[in-house]
Amino acid sequence: MRARRITIRGMTLYLHDLKKAALAPLEPVHPGHVGIYLCGATVQGSPHIGHLRSAVAFDTLIRWLRRNGTQVTYIRNITDIDDKILAKSAEAGVQWWAWASRFEREFADAYATLGVVPPTFEPRATAHIPDQIALVERLIERGHAYADGQGNVYFDVHSQEDYGSLTRQKLDDMRSTEDDAQIDADVEAGKRDSRDFALWKAAKPSEPATASWDSPWGRGRPGWHLECSAMSKRYLGEEFDIHGGGIDLRFPHHENEQAQSHGAGWGFARMWVHNAWVTIKGEKMAKSVGNVLSVDALTQQAPALAVRWALSTVHYRSALEWGPDTLPAAQAASEKFITFALKSAEAAGEATVEELQLGEKDLPEGFVNALNDDLNVAGALAVIYEHLKVGNQALASGDTEAIRREHVLVRSMLDLLGVDPLSDQWKATTRGETGATTGTNGSGSNGAMDALDNLVTGILNERAQARADKDWTRADQLRDTLTEAGITVEDGKDGATWHLAAD
């Protein structure tokens, strides 16, 4: 039976498939439904924007599929047990499970701060130990795995004919198939071949007893790769549509996932979609390098919407080089749309959520074609800017019908990138009301911005009184004071609004 492709306005949705090393049509296992498994956080430390790159990139894909009537089951795992978590928690003198739970909450807060659509389900590795043990037993039965008699179990890479096919490597050219951070002498000792990888690791006397589980091979815990094969099978079935993650996971993690799943006799992922890194001076953002930028720190420097804008408006397969101008440029761009959304809403009425759910038939053709072309956000943004220009021209001429049309179009397109300034996610920070005066501070709910909002609101209330008293000189002086401080004031029928001036 020929697979049915995802088509939007007659155009097939194409994504870059790592295994094919080319654009390929999305042809779901089940017509009208797409199953996505995204490698989520290893909760060993606080989240930085390098971690959030995958979540934001796949957020656009999920929004696009759902907007056009496709049912999406989106699974994003949490790795809450591994060597790094055990090592770091021990250094801190904290129980490993408490350490993992702390950073799991931090990741959840970061996703929410940036408006990332939550997954359908977010399974933890430690909650699926029976599934992982069952998979190891299946691999042993099928001749793809072996136990060393010391509590460890390994995958025999020579037993899987297509090992290396995902990343197009030859086994003879490989030194190891383990991540460097996962290699230790105890695990290596029982391997028949140094390129075999661990499926189950024997418990160590130096590790907490709570970090191991009973198994047919003795107390131990799963290897790093095992959880994703087991959990994707449980929630998406033996074959599903898209497996995603950062490009750093291609090898050995995703190669080993595929080997396990194929060894078990499962079709596993039809497409492999990977996002590029966030880099600083050309180097991957990573804790080990010491160049990380936390979400909390960045949202103290600029509105969370600006951080989301910076992550959303670069193609997912392009490296995002983060420099001193990245956030200011993103904030300046987002401010243009905040201003238009507020002015157009005031002039022609704010659109309802239902009105903003424009799909394939009503969105501009260029925008639809851009997103169907491997989520080409640059092309999509070009269309959004065209409509921003038309909308501003309509505002200048007072054409209410055109203002309303462009208000809906612009916000509907921005919503697909997760940056509609008047959405439920952002409206509290782009248009917070204080009596007759509206403060549009555009930032998160941090203390500094709350204080600024109070100060500006006080000045605007004083200015409103001066205008009521027809003391125009005083009113102008107060406005000039705010302008010199980098705050733009705009008068409307419901009072004055303010926002931080774009650079």
Side-chain angles (χ1 to χ4, degrees):
M1 179 178 173
R2 182 176 175 80
R4 295 184 183 178
R5 299 178 176 182
I6 294 290
T7 58
I8 301 170
R9 190 179 274 175
M11 293 286 294
T12 299
L13 173 58
Y14 281 84
L15 298 170
H16 189 273
D17 182 7
L18 169 69
K19 194 163 187 177
K20 293 184 175 73
L23 292 182
L26 176 56
E27 299 177 334
V29 176
H30 305 289
H33 177 271
V34 172
I36 299 175
Y37 187 94
L38 177 63
C39 279
T42 297
V43 286
Q44 56 167 311
S46 296
H48 57 71
I49 55 168
H51 295 130
L52 273 291
R53 182 85 199 272
S54 281
V56 170
F58 279 84
D59 191 73
T60 300
L61 173 60
I62 291 160
R63 287 170 183 261
W64 186 228
L65 289 169
R66 286 177 173 165
R67 175 72 72 84
N68 291 288
T70 302
Q71 182 184 355
V72 178
T73 301
Y74 169 34
I75 305 300
R76 185 181 67 210
N77 72 306
I78 296 172
T79 300
D80 59 344
I81 180 75
D82 89 329
D83 292 349
K84 294 178 182 177
I85 292 171
L86 292 176
K88 291 188 176 183
S89 61
E91 289 174 10
V94 177
Q95 292 282 1
W96 67 270
W97 44 264
W99 185 264
S101 180
R102 167 191 167 186
F103 293 112
E104 180 182 335
R105 290 193 297 273
E106 286 194 17
F107 269 88
D109 289 344
Y111 293 135
T113 295
L114 296 187
V116 173
V117 173
T120 309
F121 190 58
E122 196 165 24
R124 299 183 184 89
T126 56
H128 295 77
I129 299 298
D131 296 88
Q132 296 177 75
I133 291 173
L135 175 53
V136 175
E137 290 178 317
R138 182 178 177 89
L139 290 170
I140 291 174
E141 291 170 2
R142 293 172 63 90
H144 292 292
Y146 60 92
D148 67 354
Q150 303 299 315
N152 299 296
V153 182
Y154 307 96
F155 187 90
D156 179 359
V157 294
H158 289 279
S159 72
Q160 187 65 38
E161 290 184 1
D162 69 347
Y163 191 86
S165 64
L166 180 63
T167 50
R168 294 174 298 285
Q169 299 184 81
K170 294 180 179 179
L171 189 57
D172 290 344
D173 296 333
M174 298 179 191
R175 176 184 60 84
S176 173
T177 61
E178 299 274 22
D179 185 89
D180 289 343
Q182 306 287 334
I183 297 176
D184 65 64
D186 291 336
V187 174
E188 292 295 303
K191 291 183 178 181
R192 296 174 184 170
D193 187 301
S194 62
R195 291 161 295 189
D196 294 342
F197 60 87
L199 295 170
W200 188 263
K201 296 183 176 183
K204 297 179 182 179
S206 60
E207 294 177 348
T210 54
S212 63
W213 290 263
D214 289 328
S215 80
W217 316 285
R219 295 281 294 181
R221 58 186 170 86
W224 175 34
H225 317 294
L226 194 65
E227 65 182 271
C228 292
S229 290
M231 293 192 294
S232 64
K233 161 64 166 56
R234 171 169 283 272
Y235 297 106
L236 297 174
E238 294 185 4
E239 184 178 23
F240 58 94
D241 301 302
I242 298 172
H243 194 313
I247 56 173
D248 51 320
L249 297 178
R250 292 175 297 182
F251 186 86
H253 185 47
H254 288 167
E255 189 75 67
N256 289 351
E257 280 186 56
Q258 177 177 270
Q260 294 165 166
S261 298
H262 285 184
W266 306 333
F268 202 45
R270 281 195 172 186
M271 298 185 78
W272 292 83
V273 179
H274 293 82
N275 62 277
W277 294 323
V278 177
T279 58
I280 296 179
K281 296 181 180 178
E283 192 166 22
K284 176 194 172 187
M285 189 176 295
K287 287 185 174 70
S288 59
V289 179
N291 64 353
V292 297
L293 294 171
S294 74
V295 174
D296 281 347
L298 290 173
T299 53
Q300 293 295 321
Q301 298 173 26
L305 176 57
V307 179
R308 170 72 192 232
W309 187 280
L311 291 171
S312 297
T313 55
V314 174
H315 193 279
Y316 75 92
R317 287 194 292 116
S318 297
L320 171 53
E321 176 64 21
W322 200 278
D325 298 330
T326 303
L327 264 187
Q331 184 172 353
S334 64
E335 285 283 353
K336 293 178 183 178
F337 290 96
I338 291 171
T339 300
F340 172 71
L342 291 170
K343 285 184 175 180
S344 57
E346 181 180 359
E350 185 172 337
T352 65
V353 173
E354 291 75 21
E355 288 176 297
L356 294 171
Q357 297 302 301
L358 297 181
E360 55 185 282
K361 296 179 180 177
D362 300 307
L363 287 168
E365 183 177 4
F367 181 85
V368 172
N369 291 345
L371 288 190
N372 280 344
D373 181 18
D374 197 29
L375 303 178
N376 178 5
V377 294
L381 269 175
V383 177
I384 299 174
Y385 271 103
E386 289 174 5
H387 284 270
L388 174 66
K389 181 179 179 180
V390 173
N392 281 328
Q393 290 170 344
L395 282 169
S397 66
D399 184 343
T400 304
E401 183 178 344
I403 293 169
R404 177 74 176 182
R405 181 184 66 247
E406 299 306 323
H407 173 88
V408 172
L409 280 172
V410 168
R411 286 188 56 201
S412 182
M413 290 187 284
L414 290 175
D415 178 69
L416 285 161
L417 303 183
V419 290
D420 168 21
L422 299 188
S423 66
D424 288 343
Q425 173 70 29
W426 307 116
K427 67 181 180 182
T429 54
T430 57
R431 190 180 61 186
E433 295 189 359
T434 313
T437 306
T438 301
T440 308
N441 60 40
S443 81
S445 57
N446 58 71
M449 293 308 301
D450 287 344
L452 177 60
D453 187 38
N454 289 334
L455 289 170
V456 174
T457 297
I459 295 173
L460 288 180
N461 285 338
E462 184 180 348
R463 177 173 175 267
Q465 185 60 53
R467 287 162 63 87
D469 296 338
K470 297 185 179 181
D471 185 351
W472 309 117
T473 301
R474 177 60 177 158
D476 289 345
Q477 288 174 343
L478 291 168
R479 182 179 185 129
D480 291 344
T481 296
L482 292 173
T483 300
E484 290 171 3
I487 293 167
T488 298
V489 176
E490 295 175 355
D491 294 309
K493 63 182 180 181
D494 294 324
T497 62
W498 71 271
H499 57 81
L500 297 174
D503 293 340

